[in-house]
Amino acid sequence: MSFIVGTSLLAVVTALACALPGAFVVLRRNSMLVEGIAHAVLPGIVVGYAFTLDLNSPWLIFGAALAGLLVVLGNEWLIRTGLITGDAPQGLIFPALFAAGVILITLDFNNLHLHTDVVLVGDLNLAAFRPLIVNGVSIGPQYLYVMLAVLAVNIAFIAMFYPKLKVMTFDDQFAAVLGLRTGLLNTALMFLVSVTVVAAFHAAGAILVISLVVVPAATAHLISRHLSVMLVLTAVFAIVGALGGFWVAYVLDAATSAAMAVFYGLLFVSVAFIDALATRVRRNRRRRVSLPTAKPQPVSAQPVSAQAVAPAGAPTDPRRAITQHRAMQGGSQTDAFSRPHARR
């Protein structure tokens, strides 16, 4: 397998692994928790390295995922106490964990080389640099199969708990009435998100992994409100954004992960513009249909009244007109024949 094909496949698999659980994160309005998890994984990596002394050990993923889960559990605990509300708990927890990771590195692990660019934005090309050799043949990057395993776990979890996740996502209180253990299910979901973020950390970094988790699901949410359709559209947008960003970075010789994030942003803006335009067209069409149409007045079959044809100054009542006509005739006869002659 060539390096370009392997890197593009790694981009697609990483985007899919992050986007599928991200659909539930977006619907539950926990998008900024992903940022907290992404920053809190640093002390988990350091602690995992303290036990294994190997940056490629899978225990680093597990330790970093536990550190990310601390952000979720701490955020929920602070919200339940009622002391602070909104997203303030996230601003309290993950900076402290991130700073703790920095302090651990500067004190005891100066030989732990975490490049700043890799921590912040990741390097997809560097993640795909080490190939997996089977019988002398390269079958793609080793990191590709790590992300394939994470993707398989995410798909299996969503397929297994899809009905419960659907009820919990749209109506948490109704799910509790049905007897579902919403707290445990939410913790399992966020732990899965934490594992996914940590696994994608090497390829996407602590900042750009947020776009991989949030933006494809948010773009799909603009088009459909049905969860099943939204999951399919999320996967489609994840693939399109990954391939588009990868090839834009390849042509411009730019950072691959950053190009993917920018391409995802442009994709969201384009879909939002098209959706707003389609909504306006539908609204105008409904407005035209709802407008009342002018109905033609029926022609009356009644005889025309005398008032309509009478000349100006004529009596409006036909009987008075006839009486007046007869009186005029009688008056003229009296004047002509019955009036006495003047005396001579």
Side-chain angles (χ1 to χ4, degrees):
M1 183 182 296
S2 65
F3 180 77
I4 294 179
V5 174
T7 308
S8 60
L9 286 177
L10 176 59
V12 170
V13 173
T14 303
L16 282 175
C18 294
L20 289 179
F24 298 96
V25 173
V26 170
L27 290 175
R28 291 179 61 83
R29 300 179 181 180
N30 290 330
S31 299
M32 294 311 297
L33 275 177
V34 179
E35 182 181 4
I37 293 172
H39 285 79
V41 299
L42 183 60
I45 294 175
V46 176
V47 173
Y49 178 78
F51 286 99
T52 61
L53 299 178
D54 184 9
L55 282 176
N56 297 318
S57 174
W59 289 105
L60 267 70
I61 297 179
F62 183 76
L66 288 179
L69 188 61
L70 287 178
V71 176
V72 178
L73 297 178
N75 177 76
E76 293 181 353
W77 178 76
L78 286 175
I79 290 177
R80 284 197 301 268
T81 59
L83 298 176
I84 51 178
T85 58
D87 55 357
Q90 304 169 31
L92 289 173
I93 298 173
F94 81 78
L97 290 174
F98 188 79
V102 174
I103 292 174
L104 288 174
I105 292 176
T106 56
L107 290 179
D108 298 325
F109 300 99
N110 290 325
N111 59 336
L112 179 59
H113 299 288
L114 290 176
H115 199 272
T116 305
D117 294 337
V118 175
V119 172
L120 295 179
V121 299
D123 194 337
L124 192 70
N125 299 317
L126 184 61
F129 189 74
R130 182 176 297 178
L132 180 62
I133 306 298
V134 177
N135 295 328
V137 179
S138 173
I139 59 173
Q142 294 181 6
Y143 198 66
L144 171 63
Y145 294 93
V146 174
M147 295 309 302
L148 276 175
V150 174
L151 176 61
V153 172
N154 290 346
I155 293 175
F157 180 82
I158 293 174
M160 186 180 301
F161 297 101
Y162 178 78
K164 296 180 180 180
L165 287 172
K166 184 176 182 180
V167 177
M168 183 189 70
T169 299
F170 291 103
D171 198 338
D172 199 0
Q173 296 180 354
F174 181 67
V177 171
L178 292 179
L180 299 179
R181 303 179 66 179
T182 56
L184 182 60
L185 186 60
N186 181 62
T187 302
L189 174 64
M190 296 311 297
F191 180 74
L192 191 67
V193 172
S194 182
V195 171
T196 304
V197 169
V198 175
F201 189 84
H202 188 30
I207 296 177
L208 297 184
V209 71
I210 303 171
S211 64
L212 298 180
V213 176
V214 175
V215 180
T219 307
H221 191 55
L222 294 174
I223 300 176
S224 177
R225 298 297 187 268
H226 298 281
L227 182 57
S228 57
V229 179
M230 182 179 169
L231 285 173
V232 174
L233 291 175
T234 299
V236 172
F237 287 131
I239 295 172
V240 171
L243 291 177
F246 174 80
W247 286 107
V248 167
Y250 181 78
V251 172
L252 299 179
D253 194 18
T256 306
S257 301
M260 289 171 58
V262 172
F263 195 88
Y264 278 125
L266 294 176
L267 190 63
F268 177 83
V269 172
S270 301
V271 173
F273 176 77
I274 295 173
D275 180 70
L277 186 62
T279 302
R280 181 176 298 180
V281 170
R282 288 194 300 266
R283 189 179 302 164
N284 293 336
R285 187 176 302 171
R286 292 172 185 167
R287 188 176 300 170
R288 289 195 215 100
V289 172
S290 61
L291 287 176
T293 56
K295 297 181 180 180
Q297 298 294 334
V299 180
S300 177
Q302 297 179 355
V304 181
S305 62
Q307 182 179 1
V309 296
T316 56
D317 192 351
R319 291 176 295 179
R320 292 181 59 188
I322 295 173
T323 304
Q324 186 177 2
H325 178 67
R326 290 178 179 176
M328 291 175 61
Q329 289 182 350
S332 61
Q333 291 177 359
T334 303
D335 291 340
F337 300 102
S338 302
R339 189 171 54 186
H341 297 283
R343 294 181 181 179
R344 294 181 181 177

